[in-house]
Amino acid sequence: MRQTGRQSRRPERRTPPTAAELAKVHERTLADAAARELVQPGLPEPGNPGLLEPRPEIGDSWARLRRLGLDPDTGAAAVHLGPAEIEHRRRASGLDAVMPVLRETLLQPSDQAPLILAIADAEGHVLWQEGERGLRRSADRIGFITGARWVEESVGTNGIAVALRVQRPMQVHSAEHYLRSHHSWTCVAAPVHDPGTGQLVGAINLSGPAHTIRPYLLQLTATAARLAETELRAHRMESLHHLRTLAAPLLARVAGPALVVDSAGWTAAAAGLPPPTRLRPPTGGWGSAAVHWVPGLGECVLEPVADGWLVRPVRSPEADGSGTVTAEHAEGARLRLDLRRPDRPELSVQGAAGGWSHAVSPRHAELLLLLATSREGSSAAQLAEALFGDPGRTVTVRAELSRLRRYLGGLLAHRPYRFAESVLVTVDGPEDPYSLLPSSSAPAVRRLRAGLAAGTVRLPGAAAPAPGSPVSPSSAPTSAVPAPPVPAPRAPADGPPGVQPPASSAANWASVGPQSSSSSSETSA
């Protein structure tokens, strides 16, 4: 009898893979990659629909480490800090103040499964390592000790490095570790951000034998990271309250509108204008210059006061609109998106309205990168498909673009969303293509990383390679491949020579496409 109706699909797997299955995935993936490199180096990895594959974050990490040539049997030479440097980094991170509550929260009683609690700074240095004595001796044998730098380049895929890289809670179980010597371990880690600046300050990690790790530990570690951020926020609020007591009498003596902000830009007090929640200081700080162009306020005179700044607009932003970038200001403007530091993307603008630069949130960095690589523009549905794999999530996209327009103003056009034609856009990428927005798991960004690594695309503003010179991943022309995996960038009409002309908008977005970490509700781009 002929079957009618909807065909049955193979049920999705709901149980996590076992350690034995992960070991097979590990060996097969490394063997397949080695075979491809012998036949034709540089080819992107094809998918194997019928086989169990590593998770995207793990697969990306393995691909990066293979490209770096890290030996899965030996790793690389370890880097260790001295006692004085460890103490300095402990104080600089601010995490020393939250260690007591973390010990109480995370270290299990002796009759429970043994665990090691490790706290690392933003660069992966293990600043604290505590836990059951026998387990710590086992950790010593693989170099997991206080002062060690636990990064992928040295010790392969691991919980601390992956959590710092993607900036969200992560678990690396058994053979998901790149080094075979770590396959008997499971690590769960969660990043910690400074609630005042949004900067990454470190990671909280729990490690133990792979066969004893419980599923709830990932949620526990994530909760502990939020607890640490709450403690850090309480310390900042105490400092802000102290600054507020100093600011009130100071503002009473100032003629005209003014406000006092702390070193991170949070408003302590204001007079004569609606107080913004926060001003984002430039990446390099406000420094010694007397006048700065501040997004949202326009040109301002800044004076240091206590642990913050006295900010006085030169002209009222409500009177002439100096707080936004108008279409006239956009003429000849230069916009640079600096993605060379994986943990701190920066946006810089130079134009008739002046210049400014500051760090941007991971979500805004994704949007700016996608807009820069598709100069003809995209609809909200296309951007939603690119970021989330779901064209229906247009509300989130429009909200984020609305926040961006507060600062970019006339630099950012809409219907479709795009940068203004007269704006020269440049994107500075990292040397390692797999370090491009590592916190993003958007298919569009993942394809862009693969294209850069394979040498089939280049970022906007990257110079074309000289004739006869070897092609590198960061300089390969998009025209070298008939159907590039990501949209080809386009410079404005007066841009530098050698940049490839645009493909059609439909062709751009047919090959692009989900998600980043958190979006920021602060007044930031």
Side-chain angles (χ1 to χ4, degrees):
M1 180 182 297
R2 185 167 61 90
Q3 292 183 347
T4 60
R6 183 179 301 173
Q7 295 181 351
S8 62
R9 293 192 307 168
R10 184 177 179 180
E12 295 182 1
R13 178 174 182 144
R14 296 184 178 276
T15 58
T18 64
E21 290 174 323
L22 289 175
K24 292 180 181 178
V25 172
H26 183 273
E27 298 305 320
R28 187 192 72 241
T29 303
L30 297 188
D32 290 350
R36 279 194 304 274
E37 290 299 320
L38 288 175
V39 176
Q40 193 169 355
L43 281 180
E45 299 180 17
N48 297 308
L51 298 176
L52 184 63
E53 296 290 333
R55 290 181 289 150
E57 299 85 358
I58 302 300
D60 287 349
S61 175
W62 289 359
R64 176 173 177 267
L65 294 174
R66 289 196 304 272
R67 188 170 179 271
L68 294 176
L70 187 69
D71 190 330
D73 289 313
T74 61
V79 176
H80 294 89
L81 301 177
E85 182 66 17
I86 291 174
E87 286 301 320
H88 170 72
R89 287 178 176 268
R90 284 176 174 178
R91 291 192 297 270
S93 69
L95 294 174
D96 53 343
V98 303
M99 275 304 297
V101 69
L102 293 179
R103 291 188 185 100
E104 182 180 350
T105 303
L106 295 177
L107 288 180
Q108 300 284 344
S110 58
D111 59 339
Q112 299 294 321
L115 290 171
I116 288 178
L117 167 63
I119 310 297
D121 65 10
E123 297 178 356
H125 298 99
V126 179
L127 303 182
W128 291 271
Q129 191 249 50
E130 304 176 9
E132 196 267 334
R133 183 176 301 176
L135 192 60
R136 292 184 67 189
R137 285 197 294 268
S138 298
D140 291 348
R141 288 193 285 271
I142 62 173
F144 189 40
I145 59 177
T146 302
R149 192 174 185 213
W150 216 244
V151 293
E152 291 179 325
E153 292 84 353
S154 299
V155 295
T157 309
N158 66 86
I160 290 176
V162 176
L164 289 175
R165 190 172 177 81
V166 305
Q167 297 196 33
R168 60 178 177 271
M170 289 296 300
Q171 173 177 292
V172 179
H173 176 54
S174 186
E176 289 184 323
H177 289 90
Y178 188 75
L179 298 190
R180 294 185 175 93
S181 58
H182 297 182
H183 286 189
S184 60
W185 291 82
T186 291
C187 306
V188 293
V192 179
H193 295 84
D194 184 334
T197 63
Q199 294 183 22
L200 183 68
V201 296
I204 299 173
N205 176 83
L206 288 175
S207 297
H211 65 279
T212 64
I213 292 295
R214 302 291 183 262
Y216 64 81
L217 288 180
L218 183 61
Q219 287 74 26
L220 176 63
T221 309
T223 301
R226 303 293 82 76
L227 178 61
E229 292 175 352
T230 300
E231 292 290 319
L232 293 174
R233 183 178 292 106
H235 286 284
R236 178 166 291 277
M237 292 302 295
E238 184 178 349
S239 300
L240 193 63
H241 176 71
H242 175 69
L243 180 60
R244 188 173 293 117
T245 60
L246 299 176
L250 175 63
L251 291 175
R253 299 193 299 268
V254 174
L259 65 155
V260 174
V261 300
D262 68 4
S263 58
W266 292 97
T267 301
L273 76 167
T277 304
R278 185 189 180 196
L279 300 179
R280 292 298 289 255
T283 302
W286 279 312
S288 58
V291 179
H292 287 267
W293 192 83
V294 179
L297 292 179
E299 288 187 338
C300 296
V301 176
L302 276 79
E303 303 174 27
V305 51
D307 294 326
W309 297 87
L310 172 65
V311 182
R312 293 183 294 159
V314 175
R315 290 171 293 178
S316 172
E318 292 81 11
D320 63 356
S322 60
T324 61
V325 181
T326 64
E328 290 75 16
H329 291 150
E331 288 296 328
R334 299 185 302 277
L335 184 147
R336 180 180 295 273
L337 181 62
D338 190 346
L339 304 179
R340 290 173 294 183
R341 289 186 55 181
D343 60 334
R344 192 172 175 79
E346 296 177 12
L347 175 66
S348 302
V349 174
Q350 291 287 338
W356 55 271
S357 65
H358 59 67
V360 296
S361 69
R363 174 72 77 225
H364 288 170
E366 285 180 317
L367 278 169
L368 291 168
L369 178 60
L370 293 179
L371 291 172
T373 54
S374 181
R375 291 300 302 273
E376 287 191 339
S378 307
S379 67
Q382 288 172 323
L383 286 171
E385 175 70 27
L387 288 174
F388 309 108
D390 180 4
R393 296 187 61 177
T394 57
V395 173
T396 302
V397 169
R398 290 193 179 100
E400 295 297 342
L401 287 168
S402 176
R403 294 187 180 99
L404 277 173
R405 291 201 63 177
R406 296 179 197 169
Y407 300 93
L408 296 179
L411 302 180
L412 184 61
H414 62 100
R415 296 181 182 176
Y417 293 107
R418 64 198 186 281
F419 288 119
E421 288 293 327
S422 62
V423 179
L424 177 62
V425 178
T426 302
V427 179
D428 293 331
E431 293 184 5
D432 179 7
Y434 288 100
S435 293
L436 180 71
L437 293 183
S439 63
S440 172
S441 60
V445 178
R446 295 190 68 205
R447 276 193 284 271
L448 181 55
R449 295 185 197 121
L452 291 170
T456 58
V457 295
R458 64 172 178 266
L459 295 173
S469 63
V471 177
S472 66
S474 61
S475 62
T478 53
S479 58
V481 177
V486 291
R490 179 170 75 98
D494 58 349
V499 179
Q500 298 300 316
S504 67
S505 180
N508 280 346
W509 285 107
S511 58
V512 196
Q515 85 140 21
S516 148
S517 36
S518 60
S519 60
S520 173
S521 61
E522 301 167 353
T523 57
S524 64

